[in-house]
Amino acid sequence: MTLPGYQFQSSLYRSERSIVERGLLNGRRVIVKRLNRQYPLPLDLADYQQEYDILQHIESDWVIKGYGLEARKHSLILVLEDMGDQSLHHLYRKQALPLEQFLEIAIAITQGLGHIHGADVIHKDINPANIVFNPDTRRLCLIDFGFSSRIQQETAPLQPANTLEGTLAYLSPEQTGRVNRLIDYRADIYSLGATFYELLTGRLPFATTDPMALVHSHLAKMPPSLTELRPDVPDFLAAMVTKMMAKGAEDRYQSAWGIQADLERLQLSSQIAGPIAQDDYPFQFRLPQTLYGREPELSQLLASFEASCRPGGTRLVLVTGYSGIGKSSLVRELYRPIVEAQGYFATGKFDQLQRVVPYAALIKAFSGLLRQLLGESATQLDRLRSDLLTAVGNNGQVLIDVIPDLALVIGAQPAVPTLAPAEAQNRFSNIFQRFVRVFARGDHPLVLFLDDLQWADTASLKLLQPLLGDPRTEALLVIGAYRSNEVSDTHPLLRTLATLRQENVSPTTLNLSPLGLTHIQQLLADTLFRDVPAVEPLAQLVLKKTGGNPFFVNEFLKTLEAEKLIRFDLSQRQWQWDLAQIQAQDITDNVVVLMTNKFKKMSAAVQQLLCTAACIGASFDVEILSL
């Protein structure tokens, strides 16, 4: 590496992506982080730029300083502060810290995390390896913002467990991409709880090293009791760590400052008998990600999934309702039980402007599933390849022509004879059924979710008939969602459903209706941390404005907060609002107008980006958009 004035001293870390070194730059002790590729990918360069920008954005003595970002040839070099320290992972690996020392370190970590969250940054990789401590100076810093984000909420993509962002042993449930929850700053609080657990016990919360077993543990298990592993840990501290590692973000501490307050109380006296989190306040506005008023429908959906896991259990569920009513949110509640059953989830969405593309949603669904599976271990991938080749025989090219990503798994396939249209369709249908059987087995059921069926092409609808009627498919649940107000009696979808019923395939239909007053009251009580009677007048106004449509309700509440009509009062330590002031505002009761007004408030550059993104499709990623 050529960096003028730099003298190498020692190597600290090396991976396929990055090299981290300690050295001197013009006589100043520094840590140098650089990319381990001669020609880095644009995404790598963007990540380094983002990490440096985030470090410049955070003002904290408990966060490592970024001295500079140097461009060298095709790459970037990140120059960081050197505290002359080591990570907690190296200093105290497999050691249970004395309580006094733990509290000193824990309070410093929490102060740093409070400053990170105060700067609207989510770290996303809190663990002992990313916390450095100098035992001589007693200074502590949080490091490695490579996965960090300045987006207040984001969705974790569904991908193989061993390729998830962050360190799997400390990952929050929402970061696994396998729960119906967005990632926000409270993901860091779960990871901090796992870190505290390790510092107090000398062991990880979940001992397994198998990636999917770890994911399942984060989703569904609690670690062994802290007080059983270490009886001298106060019950108050054990309760704190349990709350920090709660599966739902709403059940955790709502701020790092609340954790710090409790730790400081413990520092004064370890014999605290009172309740925890008395000084914990939700200073950031976050709408709960709980489903309200959907208990009957969710129960039916779970029952259908359980039935599909039994032999010969192919099932069809239809979820209907107006746009924004929460059809997709309901279906995503299956993520957790699918993981517990070691199953697969494939999802595709029909597009209003791509109806001329046959099988569009099925292609998206199975392409996404195959790309997930490409990240599995070599042994699992070899087994999948063998099963698929057995299933498709010499006709693999028939599927590759429709689902090109299949070639990434089974390789190039021989050409197939050209047939007349009807025979070619029958051949494709037969091979596709065999292909689906590979995934839909008793030991790993398949859930296939097809959204926006009101825009489905005729070829896709016809393909569903033999798929659902195939007696050799072991464990398949097909879920179709559509807007009931856009499907007339003559719509091809209803004709397909009538044909299926004649073939003894009877769907379970879940018709979602708007939220009622009691549901909105509970949502507001959970959002604003107030009791139900206190929010009832506001709930009545929200219901009147939105008609109980969940999407509209959420967007309306976000607008109230953005306009400071709902605000957190630090002196009162609670959320406040003035109903008369809200009623006096000219806030539309039309969701399209509301969203249009939001777009108009964005800069011209952002509006243009959104136009470009919309041309890509219903979903897009930043990498494609940047191209």
Side-chain angles (χ1 to χ4, degrees):
M1 184 186 70
T2 57
L3 185 62
Y6 174 72
Q7 292 176 283
F8 169 83
Q9 289 186 321
S10 61
S11 180
L12 299 178
Y13 174 78
R14 180 183 290 265
S15 69
E16 287 186 11
R17 189 181 188 222
S18 292
I19 297 172
V20 182
E21 300 172 351
R22 173 170 272 145
L24 295 173
L25 182 60
N26 299 323
R28 184 189 214 180
R29 294 172 57 164
V30 294
I31 301 292
V32 170
K33 182 176 178 181
R34 58 192 174 92
L35 290 161
N36 193 15
R37 294 188 177 113
Q38 185 176 0
Y39 297 100
L41 300 171
L43 192 61
D44 292 334
L45 298 172
D47 286 348
Y48 266 47
Q49 181 68 56
Q50 176 172 286
E51 182 171 1
Y52 177 70
D53 291 345
I54 284 174
L55 290 175
Q56 300 309 297
H57 180 67
I58 302 170
E59 291 288 337
S60 175
D61 290 335
W62 292 273
V63 173
I64 204 77
K65 301 287 187 291
Y67 288 152
L69 187 68
E70 303 283 342
R72 284 292 174 274
K73 293 185 179 179
H74 308 285
S75 191
L76 290 172
I77 299 169
L78 185 58
V79 183
L80 304 165
E81 174 187 15
D82 182 9
M83 295 168 37
D85 44 26
Q86 290 191 65
S87 72
L88 296 183
H89 175 75
H90 285 105
L91 285 169
Y92 306 117
R93 191 175 188 185
K94 297 184 179 178
Q95 292 182 45
L97 292 181
L99 192 59
E100 184 179 346
Q101 186 180 8
F102 166 79
L103 289 172
E104 176 198 5
I105 287 174
I107 289 170
I109 298 170
T110 311
Q111 286 175 311
L113 190 60
H115 289 151
I116 291 169
H117 292 166
D120 290 328
V121 171
I122 313 170
H123 188 283
K124 295 202 294 187
D125 198 14
I126 297 292
N127 71 80
N130 287 335
I131 303 165
V132 294
F133 181 60
N134 189 320
D136 297 325
T137 64
R138 315 306 291 172
R139 189 178 168 210
L140 179 144
C141 272
L142 283 84
I143 65 168
D144 199 347
F145 288 74
F147 293 128
S148 299
S149 171
R150 289 176 66 181
I151 300 172
Q152 290 192 348
Q153 288 183 316
E154 59 182 271
T155 304
L158 193 60
Q159 60 191 59
N162 56 356
T163 63
L164 292 168
E165 279 191 347
T167 306
L168 193 53
Y170 308 87
L171 223 56
S172 68
E174 55 270 31
Q175 285 177 274
T176 68
R178 288 161 172 82
V179 291
N180 185 23
R181 300 291 182 269
L182 297 172
I183 300 170
D184 63 26
Y185 71 97
R186 293 169 296 185
D188 289 339
I189 289 175
Y190 181 96
S191 301
L192 183 61
T195 298
F196 283 3
Y197 187 99
E198 183 178 9
L199 294 176
L200 286 165
T201 64
R203 54 170 283 178
L204 291 167
F206 304 111
T208 180
T209 56
D210 177 75
M212 279 312 298
L214 261 177
V215 166
H216 180 253
S217 296
H218 287 309
L219 296 182
K221 294 183 178 179
M222 288 304 295
S225 167
L226 255 176
T227 50
E228 287 181 11
L229 291 175
R230 187 173 168 184
D232 68 316
V233 170
D235 290 341
F236 187 91
L237 180 54
M240 285 182 62
V241 175
T242 299
K243 184 174 181 66
M244 292 165 73
M245 292 190 68
K247 303 305 181 187
E250 295 85 4
D251 299 321
R252 297 174 203 150
Y253 278 88
Q254 299 301 299
S255 71
W257 308 126
I259 303 169
Q260 182 183 338
D262 278 353
L263 290 170
E264 288 173 344
R265 289 171 68 192
L266 267 172
Q267 205 171 34
L268 294 173
S269 170
S270 62
Q271 305 302 317
I272 301 177
I276 64 172
Q278 292 303 290
D279 296 305
D280 184 40
Y281 304 102
F283 69 96
Q284 291 194 25
F285 183 81
R286 288 290 179 271
L287 290 164
Q289 296 174 53
T290 307
L291 287 186
Y292 294 90
R294 301 290 185 238
E295 292 80 7
E297 293 85 358
L298 180 57
S299 178
Q300 286 182 275
L301 185 61
L302 291 171
S304 295
F305 174 67
E306 289 170 6
S308 74
C309 294
R310 296 192 283 269
T314 299
R315 294 288 187 276
L316 172 63
V317 173
L318 299 172
V319 186
T320 74
Y322 282 28
S323 175
I325 207 70
K327 300 182 290 295
S328 299
S329 294
L330 176 69
V331 174
R332 286 195 293 266
E333 287 294 309
L334 281 179
Y335 282 174
R336 195 188 301 262
I338 290 169
V339 171
E340 292 176 1
Q342 298 183 325
Y344 298 131
F345 182 82
T347 179
K349 188 180 180 77
F350 290 101
D351 193 305
Q352 187 176 13
L353 303 178
Q354 290 185 341
R355 289 164 132 173
V356 296
V357 181
Y359 315 119
L362 289 163
I363 293 168
K364 291 174 189 172
F366 285 101
S367 293
L369 178 59
L370 289 166
R371 288 187 175 272
Q372 285 177 48
L373 296 173
L374 282 170
E376 299 287 1
S377 69
T379 303
Q380 291 170 306
L381 201 54
D382 285 343
R383 187 183 304 121
L384 174 64
R385 184 180 296 109
S386 174
D387 291 346
L388 285 171
L389 287 171
T390 301
V392 302
N394 295 322
N395 293 295
Q397 191 60 40
V398 171
L399 285 179
I400 290 173
D401 288 341
V402 177
I403 309 172
D405 284 328
L406 179 59
L408 299 174
V409 180
I410 64 174
Q413 296 295 298
V416 293
T418 302
L419 300 178
E423 293 173 321
Q425 179 61 42
N426 289 335
R427 177 176 63 185
F428 175 77
S429 178
N430 180 264
I431 299 302
F432 186 73
Q433 288 176 59
R434 292 188 200 173
F435 169 74
V436 170
R437 279 182 224 141
V438 171
F439 302 101
R441 292 180 175 173
D443 55 344
H444 49 72
L446 171 65
V447 175
L448 174 60
F449 175 40
L450 301 175
D451 201 2
D452 282 332
L453 275 174
Q454 74 275 2
W455 296 325
D457 58 282
T458 305
S460 295
L461 292 174
K462 285 184 177 178
L463 191 60
L464 286 178
Q465 293 172 224
L467 192 64
L468 289 164
D470 185 357
R472 289 164 291 184
T473 302
E474 293 179 17
L476 172 66
L477 173 61
V478 177
I479 305 172
Y482 65 94
R483 301 176 186 177
S484 49
N485 56 310
E486 295 186 25
V487 174
S488 65
D489 292 341
T490 57
H491 195 283
L493 172 61
L494 294 189
R495 292 203 300 270
T496 300
L497 294 176
T499 303
L500 286 170
R501 289 188 179 95
Q502 292 172 4
E503 297 172 356
N504 297 318
V505 178
S506 298
T508 298
T509 302
L510 309 178
N511 189 13
L512 303 187
S513 54
L515 301 179
L517 180 62
T518 56
H519 306 135
I520 296 175
Q521 284 176 323
Q522 192 58 57
L523 184 154
L524 286 171
D526 293 343
T527 302
L528 304 172
F529 291 82
R530 302 287 291 272
D531 56 32
V532 169
V535 300
E536 183 176 356
L538 179 60
Q540 290 175 339
L541 174 63
V542 171
L543 178 61
K544 180 181 177 182
K545 283 284 189 180
T546 66
N549 180 286
F551 175 79
F552 196 177
V553 168
N554 285 346
E555 292 302 320
F556 184 79
L557 291 174
K558 288 177 188 175
T559 299
L560 295 184
E561 194 270 337
E563 301 290 339
K564 306 299 182 188
L565 298 171
I566 295 176
R567 61 198 175 279
F568 190 75
D569 188 322
L570 280 172
S571 61
Q572 298 289 324
R573 295 185 173 182
Q574 65 179 14
W575 289 95
Q576 301 277 14
W577 60 92
D578 184 330
L579 197 64
Q581 187 183 12
I582 294 173
Q583 289 172 325
Q585 301 294 314
D586 184 23
I587 301 177
T588 179
D589 57 3
N590 183 297
V591 68
V592 176
V593 173
L594 181 77
M595 297 306 293
T596 303
N597 288 339
K598 284 193 173 189
F599 290 137
K600 286 178 179 177
K601 291 178 182 178
M602 296 173 180
S603 69
V606 171
Q607 290 186 44
Q608 183 57 46
L609 278 174
L610 288 169
C611 289
T612 306
C615 293
I616 297 170
S619 62
F620 66 94
D621 61 50
V622 175
E623 202 167 0
I624 293 175
L625 181 60
S626 67
L627 294 172

